[in-house]
Amino acid sequence: SLPSVTENVTDNVTDTFAELRALAGTPEYKAALVKEAQRLHAEGLSLEAIARMWNAEQTPTLSGNGHWHERKN
């Protein structure tokens, strides 16, 4: 069976999470998050999937508190 899109993307972003965490609290952090979210979304991940990944990787929110919100309908 073929791996899911999430598995393929997750394999490729481990270093990116470390880079994002290193920027937390800097003026560049928001721009880096937006760029990464756009890249992941272009690769087929939903915003909910990105939030789940960022929560699992403990990527800090912009406020530094709480967690990334997953939309629930």
Side-chain angles (χ1 to χ4, degrees), residues 19-48:
E19 292 169 12
L20 284 174
R21 283 193 299 274
L23 286 174
T26 69
E28 297 85 10
Y29 188 53
K30 183 176 182 177
L33 285 173
V34 169
K35 184 177 178 180
E36 182 62 7
Q38 289 172 336
R39 185 185 73 75
L40 292 169
H41 193 63
E43 289 188 18
L45 267 69
S46 67
L47 296 177
E48 292 83 1

